[in-house]
């Protein structure tokens, strides 16, 4: 499946300033290249200064790429909402994938992304991560390394569910965050002949922020700037009915279902049935009060506490 996977020769090292993250220095953002079937995929990573407690892969949703979602910078230095930084501060190595056509990853020759293609890409990155963890970033490791946790957000949660069904031995835990209404995987409508390549607008980039009471100052504005800059042309999906293959009964990996109370996409009225059908008894469901589809930027402390508590439940 994978033509070859390699680490890029040149790492883009972005030093994010000298301000402290708690008692630690700001972690360094590294850009790595993972080739999947010959296609270059951008994976962003950050690591704690000491041996990580574990690793987690973050997969963004249908509209915006990894960095607006998971490594957002707010001009006001007192407001820190980088999810990558927050997880690093808790001792975890964090990786965030730009899917095909998003952020630092170009479209492939088709110009499209499909659910099955996205699932294979995430699986390949997990394989690369595990190999990297096993070798201790190039140095032989004397201890076994736990499998990474996979966190999918929105459309990324649907892709993550497919990965968990088809590659259960690649992950130790599954976090489905902002998981869209089960059964909303798309109707069998004809795909356009060519990708629409719609330009991103500020209104579109800010549409998920519907809970101003829990949104920190400047976060929405910073998100809009980042999304319109890093994803100026929206990626295009086709063959979306492939998502109908998701069956919670086939997910045997320990799972955290994580929602914002006001999230219009994660339909809480349908989630009880989805949750009860998961094929694992090791399952959690956490709802963050007052938050919406960007809960990880609005109530980040509670969000991170839920994710870390799930990862460290044993």
């Amino acid at each position: 499946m994978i033509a070859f996977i390699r680490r890029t020769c040149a790492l883009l090292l972005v030093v994010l300033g000298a301000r402290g993250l708690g008692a630690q220095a700001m972690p360094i953002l590294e850009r790595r290249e993972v080739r999947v079937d010959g296609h270059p995929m951008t994976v962003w990573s950050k690591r704690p200064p000491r041996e990580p407690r574990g690793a987690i892969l973050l997969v963004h949703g249908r509209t915006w790429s990894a960095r607006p979602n998971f490594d957002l910078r707010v001009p006001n230095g007192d407001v820190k909402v980088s999810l990558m930084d927050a997880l690093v501060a808790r001792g975890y190595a964090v990786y965030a994938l730009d899917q095909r056509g998003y952020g630092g990853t170009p479209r492939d020759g088709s110009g499209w992304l499909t659910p099955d293609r996205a699932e294979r890409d995430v699986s390949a990155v997990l394989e690369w991560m595990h190999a990297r963890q096993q070798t201790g970033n190039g140095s032989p490791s004397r201890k076994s390394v736990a499998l990474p946790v996979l966190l999918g957000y929105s459309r990324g949660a649907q892709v993550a569910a497919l990965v968990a069904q088809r590659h259960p031995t690649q992950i130790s835990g599954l976090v489905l965050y902002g998981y869209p209404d089960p059964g909303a995987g798309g109707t069998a409508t004809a795909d356009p002949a060519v990708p629409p390549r719609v330009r991103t607008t500020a209104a579109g980039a800010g549409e998920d922020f519907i809970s101003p009471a829990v949104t920190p100052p400047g976060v929405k504005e910073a998100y809009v700037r980042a999304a319109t800059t890093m994803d100026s042309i929206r990626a295009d999906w086709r063959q979306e009915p492939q998502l109908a293959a998701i069956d919670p009964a086939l997910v045997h990996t320990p799972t955290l279902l994580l929602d914002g109370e006001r999230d219009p996409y994660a339909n809480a009225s349908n989630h009880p049935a989805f949750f009860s059908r998961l094929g694992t008894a090791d399952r959690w469901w956490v709802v963050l009060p007052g938050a919406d589809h960007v809960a990880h930027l609005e109530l980040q402390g509670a969000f991170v506490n839920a994710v870390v508590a799930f990862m460290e439940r044993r």
Side-chain angles (χ1 to χ4, degrees), residues 242-254:
Q242 290 175 353
L243 293 169
I246 297 172
D247 182 352
L250 299 179
V251 176
H252 302 293
T253 304

Side-chain angles (χ1 to χ4, degrees), residues 131-211:
R132 176 174 165 76
Q133 295 293 109
Q134 289 283 17
T135 59
N137 299 317
S139 301
S141 176
R142 294 186 177 180
K143 65 178 183 178
S144 62
V145 178
L147 292 169
V149 170
L150 176 59
L151 184 153
Y153 170 35
S154 192
R155 170 59 57 84
Q158 294 174 318
V159 172
L162 288 174
V163 173
Q165 283 181 211
R166 297 170 181 173
H167 310 278
T169 61
Q170 288 190 317
I171 56 177
S172 62
L174 174 67
V175 180
L176 301 178
Y177 161 46
Y179 183 78
D181 182 0
T187 56
T189 58
D191 293 316
V194 296
R197 297 177 184 264
V198 175
R199 182 166 294 278
T200 297
T201 65
E207 65 185 2
D208 288 331
F209 291 87
I210 62 173
S211 303

Side-chain angles (χ1 to χ4, degrees), residues 273-288:
F274 177 84
F275 182 76
S276 67
R277 290 185 58 221
L278 284 167
T280 174
D282 191 352
R283 57 184 186 255
W284 291 23
W285 183 12
V286 175
V287 178
L288 300 177

Side-chain angles (χ1 to χ4, degrees), residues 256-271:
L256 166 63
L257 186 63
L258 183 55
D259 300 335
E261 177 194 10
R262 302 187 63 207
D263 188 339
Y265 300 105
N267 189 335
S269 65
N270 288 328
H271 273 186

